[in-house]
């Protein structure tokens, strides 16, 4: 795209101008939805040489290109591939680097479906998995075996919010032919750049902040030059592609990502600080707070905060939790996050930890801070906690 040749553009400028070329679209500002299976070729020579930008719907359209170009530029990778969900981005990334007989190391804070994929499908394909303390840092060197080929990180983990020390982990496995994959859904490329810190592959649940409006499923994979051929190959062999309509929604969401993240970031920190001051709150799991054990890594590696964090209350019967959650007026009860609207979810760690025991039995509650009036959100949580306390 013509605008991609300028250097040192601000992230906000990349988000608003990359991945679209009105000159190629009759002046239309946003790249329209290209619904396509067949793409016609003018002659046999072109068909055989693939000497035109697009060949077949699954292999890419201007709609998919419009998102790939933005993400690749933001993450600083060799290229990006799109998938129909965040989970398929994780599975495709893992399959692009793992073969039968290999071992995968997974951060114990990783998102539950990642664990299920490892223990179910990957195990069946002959890949073994071990989990490690998210705070292991350079200590990962002691876990590396001769078959270790990949390390899966999620920083922060999206339930308990420990940070992985990517530079330390990357330095510790240097020279071992191990690929480091990072789920960067929380920080987004706006605030966190895993490839620059030593990772090889970055995945996103674009479903969350990129789409930003809770109305599409989407995933992206971006990698360095060395990993690109295998990623292209695996993504193609698995037959993955994202729907042009969802590409359009992701591209549209990205245009306002910087603005939305700035609001989400400020509000989630403000809410976390307020919660930290309440007697009944046992801990606030938010890496932007100075009280968080990984705050030093946060200030070193992140330039802003995600919308999502957890806090905990003293363990109480389920009816206390129901009293709180069922009557929330603004926080919706539901999976996912990253939309304009606030969400609340109880966290159950029993199916989510294996190498490290969580140090207490408090009731963890995860919240996504949306774009409603901040005082309205604060009052909603305050009333919810009062209901919890009344039944506890
Ligand atoms: C939601 C989520 C995913 C999975 O994304 P889907 O689009 O729901 O498949 C992966 N990683 C993290 C951190 C998530 O929050």
């Amino acid at each position: 795209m013509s605008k991609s040749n300028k250097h040192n553009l601000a992230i906000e400028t990349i988000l608003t101008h990359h991945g679209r070329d009105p000159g190629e679209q009759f002046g239309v500002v946003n790249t329209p939805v290209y619904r396509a299976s067949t793409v016609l070729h003018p002659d046999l020579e072109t068909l055989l040489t693939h000497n035109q930008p697009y060949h077949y719907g699954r292999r890419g359209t201007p709609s998919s290109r419009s998102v790939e170009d933005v993400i690749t530029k933001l993450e600083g990778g060799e290229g990006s591939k799109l998938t129909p969900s965040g989970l398929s981005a994780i599975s495709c990334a893992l399959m692009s680097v793992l073969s039968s007989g290999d071992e995968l190391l997974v951060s114990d804070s990783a998102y539950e479906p990642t664990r299920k994929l490892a223990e179910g499908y990957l195990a069946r394909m002959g890949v073994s998995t071990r989990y490690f303390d998210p705070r292991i840092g350079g200590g990962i060197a002691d876990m590396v075996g001769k078959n270790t080929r990949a390390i899966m990180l999620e920083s922060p983990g999206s339930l308990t919010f420990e940070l992985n020390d990517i530079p330390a982990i990357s330095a510790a496995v240097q020279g071992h032919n191990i690929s480091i994959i990072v789920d960067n859904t929380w920080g987004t490329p706006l605030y966190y750049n895993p490839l620059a810190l030593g990772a090889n592959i970055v995945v996103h649940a674009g479903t969350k902040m990129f789409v930003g409006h809770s109305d599409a499923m989407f995933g992206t994979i971006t990698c360095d030059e060395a990993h690109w051929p295998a990623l292209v190959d695996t993504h193609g062999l698995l037959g993955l592609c994202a729907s042009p309509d969802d590409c359009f929604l992701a591209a549209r969401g990205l245009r306002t990502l910087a603005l939305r993240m700035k609001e989400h970031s400020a509000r989630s920190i403000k809410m976390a600080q307020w919660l930290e001051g309440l007697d009944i709150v046992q801990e606030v799991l938010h890496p932007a707070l100075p009280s968080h054990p990984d705050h030093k890594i946060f200030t070193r590696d992140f330039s802003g905060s995600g919308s999502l964090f957890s806090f905990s209350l003293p363990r109480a019967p389920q009816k206390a939790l129901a009293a709180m959650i069922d009557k929330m007026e603004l926080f919706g009860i539901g999976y996912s996050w990253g939309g304009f609207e606030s969400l609340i979810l109880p966290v159950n760690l029993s199916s989510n930890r294996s190498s490290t025991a969580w140090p207490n039995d408090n009731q963890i509650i995860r919240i996504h801070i949306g774009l409603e009036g901040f005082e309205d959100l604060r009052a909603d949580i305050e009333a919810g906690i009062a209901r919890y306390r009344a039944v506890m």
Side-chain angles (χ1 to χ4, degrees):
M1 309 260 130
S2 54
K3 299 198 168 76
S4 67
N5 297 326
K6 289 187 197 156
H7 295 296
N8 300 324
L9 291 174
I11 290 174
E12 289 85 349
T13 310
I14 294 166
L15 285 167
T16 45
H17 283 262
H18 248 68
R20 62 188 186 85
D21 191 343
E24 283 183 4
Q25 310 293 348
F26 303 98
V28 169
V29 171
N30 281 328
T31 306
V33 179
Y34 279 77
R35 290 199 188 87
S37 53
T38 300
V39 176
L40 299 175
H41 301 72
D43 50 35
L44 181 64
E45 166 78 9
T46 315
L47 181 80
L48 297 178
T49 57
H50 278 188
N51 189 22
Q52 64 179 26
Y54 303 102
H55 321 289
Y56 185 53
R58 171 158 50 69
R59 305 307 296 262
T61 62
S63 295
S64 59
R65 184 73 56 82
S66 70
V67 184
E68 287 162 4
D69 286 353
V70 178
I71 302 303
T72 301
K73 179 76 179 169
L74 289 180
E75 291 288 7
E78 175 71 8
S80 299
K81 286 291 175 187
L82 308 182
T83 60
S85 68
L87 183 55
S88 54
I90 294 170
S91 55
C92 178
L94 287 168
M95 288 177 201
S96 75
V97 297
L98 290 166
S99 303
S100 177
D102 290 349
E103 181 188 58
L104 165 68
L105 302 179
V106 177
S107 175
D108 212 14
S109 58
Y111 162 79
E112 192 177 358
T114 302
R115 309 174 74 97
K116 288 188 169 158
L117 174 74
E119 288 156 28
Y121 183 83
L122 292 178
R124 199 150 54 75
M125 294 296 127
V127 173
S128 59
T129 297
R130 279 187 296 152
Y131 295 92
F132 61 87
D133 181 343
R135 299 191 166 119
I136 198 167
I140 193 108
D142 297 335
M143 287 195 67
V144 169
K146 68 177 193 323
N147 296 325
T148 308
R149 282 294 154 271
I151 298 175
M152 180 75 213
L153 304 176
E154 186 179 313
S155 190
S158 52
L159 296 176
T160 46
F161 300 91
E162 298 100 325
L163 298 183
N164 301 127
D165 188 339
I166 297 179
I169 292 173
S170 166
V173 304
Q174 211 52 213
H176 281 90
N177 187 24
I178 293 174
S179 306
I180 301 177
I181 304 168
V182 182
D183 183 331
N184 189 22
T185 303
W186 189 84
T188 81
L190 215 58
Y191 294 152
Y192 194 42
N193 289 107
L195 296 182
L197 295 171
N200 307 106
I201 305 179
V202 179
V203 297
H204 284 278
T207 309
K208 313 290 164 59
M209 304 311 314
F210 293 178
V211 167
H213 294 72
S214 307
D215 50 9
M217 305 298 299
F218 197 71
T220 70
I221 315 168
T222 306
C223 67
D224 61 21
E225 195 180 352
H227 288 75
W228 181 240
L231 177 62
V232 171
D233 201 45
T234 305
H235 181 267
L237 291 174
L238 291 174
L240 293 170
C241 58
S243 129
D245 293 87
D246 295 340
C247 291
F248 179 85
L249 290 173
R252 190 191 225 263
L254 285 167
R255 302 296 171 214
T256 56
L257 180 69
L259 207 58
R260 288 185 287 110
M261 284 305 288
K262 210 166 131 190
E263 274 299 308
H264 286 296
S265 180
R267 287 148 172 270
S268 93
I269 294 172
K270 196 168 160 191
M271 191 68 82
Q273 285 167 339
W274 172 71
L275 281 163
E276 198 170 37
L278 301 183
D279 286 346
I280 193 173
V281 171
Q282 304 298 294
E283 60 208 319
V284 179
L285 306 172
H286 194 314
L289 296 185
S291 60
H292 190 277
D294 302 322
H295 185 65
K296 272 208 181 82
I297 296 178
F298 181 80
T299 52
R300 186 193 67 192
D301 293 348
F302 286 77
S303 56
S305 155
S307 62
L308 192 75
F309 68 97
S310 294
F311 64 97
S312 69
L313 299 173
R315 177 69 61 182
Q318 184 165 323
K319 62 183 193 325
L321 196 56
M324 175 181 186
I325 287 182
D326 291 353
K327 292 206 177 62
M328 299 299 291
E329 287 184 353
L330 300 173
F331 282 81
I333 311 166
Y335 295 105
S336 194
W337 52 279
F340 52 82
E341 84 296 2
S342 294
L343 291 171
I344 188 163
L345 209 62
V347 172
N348 173 12
L349 290 182
S350 64
S351 51
N352 268 294
R353 309 292 294 196
S354 40
S355 81
T356 46
W358 192 249
N360 59 57
D361 184 41
N362 295 328
Q363 174 62 59
I364 300 177
I365 294 165
R366 187 182 84 169
I367 51 180
H368 160 69
I369 304 299
L371 303 177
E372 299 91 340
F374 181 82
E375 278 309 311
D376 295 341
L377 293 178
R378 199 193 52 73
D380 202 21
I381 294 183
E382 191 166 33
I385 291 177
R387 290 192 299 273
Y388 188 95
R389 192 197 286 272
V391 178
M392 180 179 123

